[in-house]
Amino acid sequence: MASLAIVERAYRGAVELAYFDALFLGIEIHRQLGLDVLLRGEAVTYALDAPAAPEPLLVGKRLVDTLDAPRADLLRLRDLGVGIRVEREDLVALGLDEDRLIEGVECVAAGESAARWPDYDRIFFL
């Protein structure tokens, strides 16, 4: 049996990136234990097929040059064979359609996700 990583919160700031972000941790968990990823809340935006933010990014007069790249890590996870799911209700709440998801991402109902929890040896909230 594999592990399930649930990611609910989106980008939490440059300090997280400077050390170890949640999806990068997922790559290591997958290497050791096997992994599926469930994106909920604002983290569903990680799975959108969209261009990367320009780097560095100018916000007012402040230059932001420590942007996280969760979509790149998610694509790495997908390419490693990790199952990636997003909850449909959270996409809808953000005004998004499932046809905007990157290839290989499955859109599921919230109850469907919870029903699968017994299939995993361990569940991580990243």
Side-chain angles (χ1 to χ4, degrees):
M1 287 183 142
S3 303
L4 175 65
I6 299 173
V7 182
E8 295 179 321
R9 297 192 54 192
Y11 178 67
R12 289 172 271 207
V15 172
E16 180 179 286
L17 171 65
Y19 297 99
F20 210 74
D21 70 29
L23 292 176
F24 189 77
L25 174 61
I27 293 168
E28 183 60 22
I29 293 171
H30 176 66
R31 185 184 71 75
Q32 294 183 32
L33 303 171
L35 186 69
D36 287 336
V37 173
L38 173 63
L39 301 174
R40 301 191 320 191
E42 292 175 351
V44 299
T45 61
Y46 291 171
L48 294 179
D49 188 8
E55 198 172 320
L57 179 66
L58 187 61
V59 179
K61 294 181 180 181
R62 181 173 299 258
L63 187 65
V64 181
D65 59 0
T66 55
L67 295 174
D68 198 4
R71 191 169 296 113
D73 288 337
L74 196 67
L75 290 170
R76 274 184 69 194
L77 285 164
R78 180 199 64 188
D79 293 345
L80 289 169
V82 171
I84 301 168
R85 296 180 188 90
V86 300
E87 290 194 347
R88 182 174 293 108
E89 290 80 358
D90 294 325
L91 279 174
V92 171
L94 293 170
L96 302 168
D97 297 318
E98 61 185 274
D99 61 347
R100 296 202 41 209
L101 296 173
I102 57 176
E103 185 178 332
V105 173
E106 180 184 0
C107 192
V108 297
E112 183 179 340
S113 299
R116 293 181 184 183
W117 289 15
D119 297 338
Y120 296 98
D121 286 331
R122 54 201 86 53
I123 297 174
F124 301 102
F125 287 84
L126 301 182

